Amino acid sequence: MTEDQLPQELDVTALVGPYVFPDIRRRRIAATLYAIIAAGCVAGWAISQNGGLAAAAVALGLIAAYYVACAWPLRVKELDALVAAGASVDFPVGHASAQLAWRGLLSRPTWRLLLYSAEDPPKKRGLVELDAVDGTVLHTTIHDNPEDWPES
């Protein structure tokens, strides 16, 4: 019987350097492909007057436009988001983690940052939401840390 193993590309022990989040603007590649196919459908409709091709051209054109509208630049990188989040809370930050999420119909990128105070064990924690396009702090929540951290 063979052991389960992670694929090589998921092996974190072989990681060299920091993880870089892919740029969301690459959605424009898919938008371009949809627009090219829509143009082909328009050409096919012009030749054959097939209403299905016209409908497909309109649908694919709308999808391409939506993809372009959702192709936000990721201007605020992870480290910059952590610094901005640390400045928006009223305690010195110890451990922290960042997650990239999207909000709204146009999928605007947003950093969600979980921050713990620098004490051992941490006495406070905070959740900060930060716009990943312009760096605006959208929401900050700070609480006493309710987690039970046993002494080790």
Side-chain angles (χ1 to χ4, degrees):
M1 180 179 243
T2 61
E3 274 187 42
D4 286 337
Q5 294 181 356
L6 281 174
Q8 188 174 8
E9 65 271 10
L10 296 179
D11 182 11
V12 296
T13 61
L15 179 68
V16 177
Y19 180 80
V20 177
F21 284 88
D23 196 343
I24 301 164
R25 288 180 291 182
R26 64 187 184 155
R27 291 177 178 171
R28 293 178 183 170
I29 297 169
T32 302
L33 295 174
Y34 281 124
I36 291 169
I37 296 169
C41 289
V42 167
W45 171 79
I47 294 169
S48 68
Q49 298 301 309
N50 181 335
L53 286 173
V58 169
L60 289 169
L62 290 172
I63 291 170
Y66 179 72
Y67 272 52
V68 169
C70 292
W72 297 97
L74 188 61
R75 291 192 181 115
V76 179
K77 304 298 183 207
E78 180 182 15
L79 185 57
D80 299 328
L82 286 166
V83 169
S88 72
V89 296
D90 63 351
F91 56 84
V93 176
H95 293 285
S97 66
Q99 172 192 33
L100 189 61
W102 290 265
R103 64 183 164 84
L105 186 60
L106 293 180
S107 296
R108 191 169 173 102
T110 304
W111 286 107
R112 292 181 183 158
L113 301 119
L114 179 61
L115 312 170
Y116 286 95
S117 61
E119 301 92 17
D120 187 21
K123 294 180 181 172
K124 289 187 172 189
R125 68 179 179 184
L127 178 66
V128 178
E129 283 188 282
L130 185 103
D131 189 291
V133 177
D134 63 15
T136 305
V137 174
L138 304 170
H139 183 75
T140 302
T141 303
I142 300 170
H143 296 285
D144 289 335
N145 188 11
E147 299 173 34
D148 184 20
W149 298 71
E151 297 288 329
S152 44

mmCIF file of all heavy atoms in Angstrom, residues 54-96:
data_model
loop_
_atom_site.group_PDB
_atom_site.id
_atom_site.type_symbol
_atom_site.label_atom_id
_atom_site.label_comp_id
_atom_site.label_asym_id
_atom_site.label_seq_id
_atom_site.Cartn_x
_atom_site.Cartn_y
_atom_site.Cartn_z
ATOM 1 N N ALA A 54 -26.128 35.589 -32.915
ATOM 2 C CA ALA A 54 -26.272 36.974 -32.437
ATOM 3 C C ALA A 54 -26.443 36.992 -30.919
ATOM 4 O O ALA A 54 -25.832 37.814 -30.221
ATOM 5 C CB ALA A 54 -27.451 37.650 -33.121
ATOM 6 N N ALA A 55 -27.261 36.096 -30.396
ATOM 7 C CA ALA A 55 -27.473 36.017 -28.946
ATOM 8 C C ALA A 55 -26.180 35.636 -28.233
ATOM 9 O O ALA A 55 -25.845 36.200 -27.179
ATOM 10 C CB ALA A 55 -28.581 35.015 -28.630
ATOM 11 N N ALA A 56 -25.438 34.690 -28.818
ATOM 12 C CA ALA A 56 -24.161 34.291 -28.224
ATOM 13 C C ALA A 56 -23.176 35.452 -28.232
ATOM 14 O O ALA A 56 -22.436 35.661 -27.261
ATOM 15 C CB ALA A 56 -23.576 33.095 -28.969
ATOM 16 N N ALA A 57 -23.159 36.241 -29.311
ATOM 17 C CA ALA A 57 -22.256 37.390 -29.388
ATOM 18 C C ALA A 57 -22.587 38.411 -28.309
ATOM 19 O O ALA A 57 -21.685 38.943 -27.652
ATOM 20 C CB ALA A 57 -22.342 38.037 -30.773
ATOM 21 N N VAL A 58 -23.861 38.671 -28.094
ATOM 22 C CA VAL A 58 -24.266 39.628 -27.055
ATOM 23 C C VAL A 58 -23.881 39.098 -25.675
ATOM 24 O O VAL A 58 -23.304 39.821 -24.854
ATOM 25 C CB VAL A 58 -25.787 39.917 -27.138
ATOM 26 C CG1 VAL A 58 -26.260 40.685 -25.916
ATOM 27 C CG2 VAL A 58 -26.115 40.668 -28.413
ATOM 28 N N ALA A 59 -24.183 37.829 -25.413
ATOM 29 C CA ALA A 59 -23.871 37.241 -24.100
ATOM 30 C C ALA A 59 -22.359 37.248 -23.844
ATOM 31 O O ALA A 59 -21.907 37.650 -22.765
ATOM 32 C CB ALA A 59 -24.421 35.822 -24.011
ATOM 33 N N LEU A 60 -21.576 36.830 -24.826
ATOM 34 C CA LEU A 60 -20.127 36.801 -24.640
ATOM 35 C C LEU A 60 -19.544 38.210 -24.520
ATOM 36 O O LEU A 60 -18.599 38.432 -23.762
ATOM 37 C CB LEU A 60 -19.468 36.048 -25.800
ATOM 38 C CG LEU A 60 -19.715 34.535 -25.805
ATOM 39 C CD1 LEU A 60 -19.258 33.927 -27.117
ATOM 40 C CD2 LEU A 60 -19.025 33.874 -24.633
ATOM 41 N N GLY A 61 -20.116 39.165 -25.225
ATOM 42 C CA GLY A 61 -19.677 40.553 -25.095
ATOM 43 C C GLY A 61 -19.946 41.093 -23.700
ATOM 44 O O GLY A 61 -19.107 41.802 -23.119
ATOM 45 N N LEU A 62 -21.108 40.767 -23.136
ATOM 46 C CA LEU A 62 -21.430 41.202 -21.774
ATOM 47 C C LEU A 62 -20.502 40.548 -20.746
ATOM 48 O O LEU A 62 -20.050 41.201 -19.800
ATOM 49 C CB LEU A 62 -22.891 40.890 -21.444
ATOM 50 C CG LEU A 62 -23.934 41.737 -22.188
ATOM 51 C CD1 LEU A 62 -25.335 41.205 -21.922
ATOM 52 C CD2 LEU A 62 -23.816 43.196 -21.789
ATOM 53 N N ILE A 63 -20.211 39.276 -20.958
ATOM 54 C CA ILE A 63 -19.287 38.578 -20.046
ATOM 55 C C ILE A 63 -17.897 39.205 -20.131
ATOM 56 O O ILE A 63 -17.240 39.437 -19.108
ATOM 57 C CB ILE A 63 -19.244 37.068 -20.362
ATOM 58 C CG1 ILE A 63 -20.582 36.420 -19.989
ATOM 59 C CG2 ILE A 63 -18.086 36.387 -19.645
ATOM 60 C CD1 ILE A 63 -20.740 34.990 -20.467
ATOM 61 N N ALA A 64 -17.442 39.512 -21.348
ATOM 62 C CA ALA A 64 -16.129 40.148 -21.511
ATOM 63 C C ALA A 64 -16.096 41.503 -20.803
ATOM 64 O O ALA A 64 -15.115 41.837 -20.125
ATOM 65 C CB ALA A 64 -15.807 40.307 -22.995
ATOM 66 N N ALA A 65 -17.158 42.283 -20.939
ATOM 67 C CA ALA A 65 -17.221 43.595 -20.287
ATOM 68 C C ALA A 65 -17.186 43.442 -18.767
ATOM 69 O O ALA A 65 -16.516 44.217 -18.063
ATOM 70 C CB ALA A 65 -18.476 44.342 -20.716
ATOM 71 N N TYR A 66 -17.891 42.437 -18.243
ATOM 72 C CA TYR A 66 -17.885 42.194 -16.795
ATOM 73 C C TYR A 66 -16.487 41.813 -16.310
ATOM 74 O O TYR A 66 -16.026 42.282 -15.268
ATOM 75 C CB TYR A 66 -18.904 41.100 -16.447
ATOM 76 C CG TYR A 66 -18.949 40.768 -14.981
ATOM 77 C CD1 TYR A 66 -19.507 41.647 -14.066
ATOM 78 C CD2 TYR A 66 -18.420 39.575 -14.498
ATOM 79 C CE1 TYR A 66 -19.547 41.359 -12.708
ATOM 80 C CE2 TYR A 66 -18.456 39.275 -13.150
ATOM 81 C CZ TYR A 66 -19.021 40.167 -12.265
ATOM 82 O OH TYR A 66 -19.038 39.876 -10.931
ATOM 83 N N TYR A 67 -15.801 40.968 -17.061
ATOM 84 C CA TYR A 67 -14.448 40.570 -16.677
ATOM 85 C C TYR A 67 -13.504 41.768 -16.661
ATOM 86 O O TYR A 67 -12.650 41.874 -15.783
ATOM 87 C CB TYR A 67 -13.917 39.493 -17.631
ATOM 88 C CG TYR A 67 -14.257 38.088 -17.220
ATOM 89 C CD1 TYR A 67 -15.565 37.718 -16.931
ATOM 90 C CD2 TYR A 67 -13.281 37.121 -17.121
ATOM 91 C CE1 TYR A 67 -15.874 36.433 -16.554
ATOM 92 C CE2 TYR A 67 -13.586 35.827 -16.748
ATOM 93 C CZ TYR A 67 -14.878 35.489 -16.465
ATOM 94 O OH TYR A 67 -15.177 34.225 -16.087
ATOM 95 N N VAL A 68 -13.637 42.665 -17.629
ATOM 96 C CA VAL A 68 -12.800 43.869 -17.645
ATOM 97 C C VAL A 68 -13.121 44.744 -16.429
ATOM 98 O O VAL A 68 -12.222 45.273 -15.772
ATOM 99 C CB VAL A 68 -12.989 44.662 -18.958
ATOM 100 C CG1 VAL A 68 -12.339 46.034 -18.873
ATOM 101 C CG2 VAL A 68 -12.418 43.887 -20.130
ATOM 102 N N ALA A 69 -14.405 44.894 -16.110
ATOM 103 C CA ALA A 69 -14.806 45.711 -14.965
ATOM 104 C C ALA A 69 -14.300 45.128 -13.642
ATOM 105 O O ALA A 69 -14.055 45.870 -12.690
ATOM 106 C CB ALA A 69 -16.327 45.853 -14.923
ATOM 107 N N CYS A 70 -14.129 43.815 -13.582
ATOM 108 C CA CYS A 70 -13.682 43.146 -12.350
ATOM 109 C C CYS A 70 -12.163 42.992 -12.279
ATOM 110 O O CYS A 70 -11.650 42.421 -11.316
ATOM 111 C CB CYS A 70 -14.317 41.762 -12.250
ATOM 112 S SG CYS A 70 -16.089 41.800 -11.994
ATOM 113 N N ALA A 71 -11.443 43.489 -13.250
ATOM 114 C CA ALA A 71 -9.989 43.316 -13.298
ATOM 115 C C ALA A 71 -9.292 44.444 -12.541
ATOM 116 O O ALA A 71 -8.577 45.254 -13.116
ATOM 117 C CB ALA A 71 -9.515 43.256 -14.746
ATOM 118 N N TRP A 72 -9.505 44.487 -11.235
ATOM 119 C CA TRP A 72 -8.918 45.530 -10.386
ATOM 120 C C TRP A 72 -7.415 45.325 -10.248
ATOM 121 O O TRP A 72 -6.942 44.197 -10.144
ATOM 122 C CB TRP A 72 -9.539 45.467 -8.996
ATOM 123 C CG TRP A 72 -10.980 45.725 -8.954
ATOM 124 C CD1 TRP A 72 -11.972 44.781 -8.927
ATOM 125 C CD2 TRP A 72 -11.635 46.989 -8.945
ATOM 126 N NE1 TRP A 72 -13.204 45.389 -8.889
ATOM 127 C CE2 TRP A 72 -13.020 46.753 -8.903
ATOM 128 C CE3 TRP A 72 -11.188 48.297 -8.969
ATOM 129 C CZ2 TRP A 72 -13.949 47.759 -8.878
ATOM 130 C CZ3 TRP A 72 -12.119 49.314 -8.940
ATOM 131 C CH2 TRP A 72 -13.480 49.039 -8.893
ATOM 132 N N PRO A 73 -6.651 46.407 -10.178
ATOM 133 C CA PRO A 73 -5.220 46.252 -9.881
ATOM 134 C C PRO A 73 -5.033 46.006 -8.380
ATOM 135 O O PRO A 73 -5.672 46.650 -7.562
ATOM 136 C CB PRO A 73 -4.624 47.605 -10.291
ATOM 137 C CG PRO A 73 -5.757 48.567 -10.143
ATOM 138 C CD PRO A 73 -7.011 47.788 -10.457
ATOM 139 N N LEU A 74 -4.188 45.085 -8.033
ATOM 140 C CA LEU A 74 -3.902 44.784 -6.622
ATOM 141 C C LEU A 74 -2.730 45.672 -6.198
ATOM 142 O O LEU A 74 -1.585 45.269 -6.211
ATOM 143 C CB LEU A 74 -3.565 43.298 -6.463
ATOM 144 C CG LEU A 74 -3.435 42.766 -5.056
ATOM 145 C CD1 LEU A 74 -4.735 42.928 -4.288
ATOM 146 C CD2 LEU A 74 -3.023 41.313 -5.081
ATOM 147 N N ARG A 75 -3.043 46.925 -5.825
ATOM 148 C CA ARG A 75 -2.006 47.923 -5.519
ATOM 149 C C ARG A 75 -1.436 47.768 -4.110
ATOM 150 O O ARG A 75 -0.295 48.114 -3.869
ATOM 151 C CB ARG A 75 -2.575 49.325 -5.691
ATOM 152 C CG ARG A 75 -2.855 49.668 -7.130
ATOM 153 C CD ARG A 75 -3.148 51.148 -7.313
ATOM 154 N NE ARG A 75 -3.433 51.411 -8.707
ATOM 155 C CZ ARG A 75 -4.611 51.816 -9.156
ATOM 156 N NH1 ARG A 75 -5.606 52.021 -8.319
ATOM 157 N NH2 ARG A 75 -4.802 52.023 -10.438
ATOM 158 N N VAL A 76 -2.250 47.291 -3.170
ATOM 159 C CA VAL A 76 -1.796 47.129 -1.792
ATOM 160 C C VAL A 76 -1.377 45.671 -1.600
ATOM 161 O O VAL A 76 -2.211 44.766 -1.655
ATOM 162 C CB VAL A 76 -2.908 47.518 -0.792
ATOM 163 C CG1 VAL A 76 -2.429 47.328 0.637
ATOM 164 C CG2 VAL A 76 -3.368 48.936 -1.028
ATOM 165 N N LYS A 77 -0.087 45.474 -1.421
ATOM 166 C CA LYS A 77 0.444 44.120 -1.237
ATOM 167 C C LYS A 77 0.243 43.673 0.213
ATOM 168 O O LYS A 77 -0.094 44.460 1.093
ATOM 169 C CB LYS A 77 1.931 44.079 -1.604
ATOM 170 C CG LYS A 77 2.211 44.556 -3.018
ATOM 171 C CD LYS A 77 1.538 43.692 -4.054
ATOM 172 C CE LYS A 77 1.895 44.167 -5.451
ATOM 173 N NZ LYS A 77 0.914 43.868 -6.432
ATOM 174 N N GLU A 78 0.492 42.396 0.463
ATOM 175 C CA GLU A 78 0.237 41.797 1.776
ATOM 176 C C GLU A 78 0.978 42.515 2.903
ATOM 177 O O GLU A 78 0.388 42.848 3.929
ATOM 178 C CB GLU A 78 0.626 40.324 1.749
ATOM 179 C CG GLU A 78 0.414 39.601 3.048
ATOM 180 C CD GLU A 78 0.849 38.154 2.983
ATOM 181 O OE1 GLU A 78 1.561 37.772 2.038
ATOM 182 O OE2 GLU A 78 0.478 37.414 3.889
ATOM 183 N N LEU A 79 2.248 42.788 2.725
ATOM 184 C CA LEU A 79 3.029 43.432 3.782
ATOM 185 C C LEU A 79 2.516 44.848 4.045
ATOM 186 O O LEU A 79 2.403 45.270 5.199
ATOM 187 C CB LEU A 79 4.512 43.450 3.413
ATOM 188 C CG LEU A 79 5.455 43.976 4.484
ATOM 189 C CD1 LEU A 79 5.318 43.172 5.780
ATOM 190 C CD2 LEU A 79 6.891 43.929 3.998
ATOM 191 N N ASP A 80 2.179 45.583 2.982
ATOM 192 C CA ASP A 80 1.622 46.926 3.152
ATOM 193 C C ASP A 80 0.285 46.878 3.889
ATOM 194 O O ASP A 80 -0.016 47.749 4.710
ATOM 195 C CB ASP A 80 1.436 47.609 1.793
ATOM 196 C CG ASP A 80 2.748 47.771 1.048
ATOM 197 O OD1 ASP A 80 3.795 47.941 1.700
ATOM 198 O OD2 ASP A 80 2.726 47.716 -0.203
ATOM 199 N N ALA A 81 -0.516 45.863 3.592
ATOM 200 C CA ALA A 81 -1.805 45.702 4.278
ATOM 201 C C ALA A 81 -1.594 45.416 5.760
ATOM 202 O O ALA A 81 -2.315 45.953 6.615
ATOM 203 C CB ALA A 81 -2.609 44.583 3.622
ATOM 204 N N LEU A 82 -0.608 44.585 6.091
ATOM 205 C CA LEU A 82 -0.323 44.287 7.496
ATOM 206 C C LEU A 82 0.145 45.534 8.243
ATOM 207 O O LEU A 82 -0.252 45.765 9.386
ATOM 208 C CB LEU A 82 0.723 43.179 7.594
ATOM 209 C CG LEU A 82 0.227 41.770 7.249
ATOM 210 C CD1 LEU A 82 1.398 40.826 7.045
ATOM 211 C CD2 LEU A 82 -0.710 41.252 8.314
ATOM 212 N N VAL A 83 0.947 46.364 7.599
ATOM 213 C CA VAL A 83 1.422 47.600 8.236
ATOM 214 C C VAL A 83 0.247 48.551 8.472
ATOM 215 O O VAL A 83 0.096 49.120 9.555
ATOM 216 C CB VAL A 83 2.519 48.258 7.373
ATOM 217 C CG1 VAL A 83 2.835 49.664 7.862
ATOM 218 C CG2 VAL A 83 3.776 47.405 7.358
ATOM 219 N N ALA A 84 -0.610 48.722 7.457
ATOM 220 C CA ALA A 84 -1.770 49.618 7.598
ATOM 221 C C ALA A 84 -2.734 49.108 8.661
ATOM 222 O O ALA A 84 -3.288 49.887 9.442
ATOM 223 C CB ALA A 84 -2.485 49.762 6.259
ATOM 224 N N ALA A 85 -2.937 47.802 8.713
ATOM 225 C CA ALA A 85 -3.835 47.233 9.723
ATOM 226 C C ALA A 85 -3.261 47.421 11.120
ATOM 227 O O ALA A 85 -3.986 47.744 12.061
ATOM 228 C CB ALA A 85 -4.071 45.754 9.437
ATOM 229 N N GLY A 86 -1.953 47.232 11.266
ATOM 230 C CA GLY A 86 -1.315 47.439 12.563
ATOM 231 C C GLY A 86 -1.443 48.872 13.051
ATOM 232 O O GLY A 86 -1.587 49.123 14.245
ATOM 233 N N ALA A 87 -1.425 49.811 12.117
ATOM 234 C CA ALA A 87 -1.565 51.223 12.484
ATOM 235 C C ALA A 87 -3.008 51.585 12.847
ATOM 236 O O ALA A 87 -3.241 52.596 13.505
ATOM 237 C CB ALA A 87 -1.095 52.100 11.331
ATOM 238 N N SER A 88 -3.962 50.758 12.458
ATOM 239 C CA SER A 88 -5.371 51.085 12.709
ATOM 240 C C SER A 88 -5.915 50.489 14.004
ATOM 241 O O SER A 88 -7.074 50.707 14.332
ATOM 242 C CB SER A 88 -6.231 50.614 11.527
ATOM 243 O OG SER A 88 -6.333 49.210 11.508
ATOM 244 N N VAL A 89 -5.115 49.722 14.731
ATOM 245 C CA VAL A 89 -5.556 49.159 16.010
ATOM 246 C C VAL A 89 -4.811 49.848 17.147
ATOM 247 O O VAL A 89 -3.753 50.449 16.942
ATOM 248 C CB VAL A 89 -5.361 47.623 16.063
ATOM 249 C CG1 VAL A 89 -6.232 46.928 15.035
ATOM 250 C CG2 VAL A 89 -3.909 47.239 15.868
ATOM 251 N N ASP A 90 -5.364 49.742 18.353
ATOM 252 C CA ASP A 90 -4.797 50.451 19.501
ATOM 253 C C ASP A 90 -3.900 49.571 20.373
ATOM 254 O O ASP A 90 -3.765 49.814 21.565
ATOM 255 C CB ASP A 90 -5.925 51.048 20.332
ATOM 256 C CG ASP A 90 -6.849 49.991 20.926
ATOM 257 O OD1 ASP A 90 -6.712 48.802 20.554
ATOM 258 O OD2 ASP A 90 -7.698 50.345 21.755
ATOM 259 N N PHE A 91 -3.287 48.558 19.784
ATOM 260 C CA PHE A 91 -2.372 47.706 20.543
ATOM 261 C C PHE A 91 -1.195 47.319 19.655
ATOM 262 O O PHE A 91 -1.316 47.293 18.435
ATOM 263 C CB PHE A 91 -3.081 46.450 21.083
ATOM 264 C CG PHE A 91 -3.764 45.617 20.034
ATOM 265 C CD1 PHE A 91 -3.062 44.665 19.300
ATOM 266 C CD2 PHE A 91 -5.126 45.761 19.788
ATOM 267 C CE1 PHE A 91 -3.691 43.882 18.351
ATOM 268 C CE2 PHE A 91 -5.764 44.978 18.834
ATOM 269 C CZ PHE A 91 -5.046 44.037 18.120
ATOM 270 N N PRO A 92 -0.022 47.036 20.279
ATOM 271 C CA PRO A 92 1.106 46.563 19.478
ATOM 272 C C PRO A 92 0.807 45.161 18.952
ATOM 273 O O PRO A 92 0.322 44.298 19.681
ATOM 274 C CB PRO A 92 2.283 46.552 20.449
ATOM 275 C CG PRO A 92 1.716 46.727 21.803
ATOM 276 C CD PRO A 92 0.309 47.222 21.684
ATOM 277 N N VAL A 93 1.083 44.943 17.697
ATOM 278 C CA VAL A 93 0.716 43.693 17.030
ATOM 279 C C VAL A 93 1.832 42.668 17.169
ATOM 280 O O VAL A 93 3.006 42.969 16.962
ATOM 281 C CB VAL A 93 0.403 43.949 15.537
ATOM 282 C CG1 VAL A 93 0.123 42.648 14.809
ATOM 283 C CG2 VAL A 93 -0.764 44.909 15.405
ATOM 284 N N GLY A 94 1.433 41.456 17.535
ATOM 285 C CA GLY A 94 2.339 40.316 17.570
ATOM 286 C C GLY A 94 2.122 39.480 16.332
ATOM 287 O O GLY A 94 2.534 39.844 15.235
ATOM 288 N N HIS A 95 1.403 38.398 16.488
ATOM 289 C CA HIS A 95 1.094 37.533 15.347
ATOM 290 C C HIS A 95 -0.022 38.148 14.512
ATOM 291 O O HIS A 95 -0.920 38.805 15.038
ATOM 292 C CB HIS A 95 0.666 36.141 15.829
ATOM 293 C CG HIS A 95 1.771 35.384 16.485
ATOM 294 N ND1 HIS A 95 2.786 34.808 15.771
ATOM 295 C CD2 HIS A 95 2.037 35.128 17.786
ATOM 296 C CE1 HIS A 95 3.626 34.215 16.597
ATOM 297 N NE2 HIS A 95 3.190 34.402 17.842
ATOM 298 N N ALA A 96 0.048 37.901 13.205
ATOM 299 C CA ALA A 96 -0.975 38.413 12.302
ATOM 300 C C ALA A 96 -1.059 37.504 11.089
ATOM 301 O O ALA A 96 -0.100 36.807 10.746
ATOM 302 C CB ALA A 96 -0.639 39.835 11.868
#
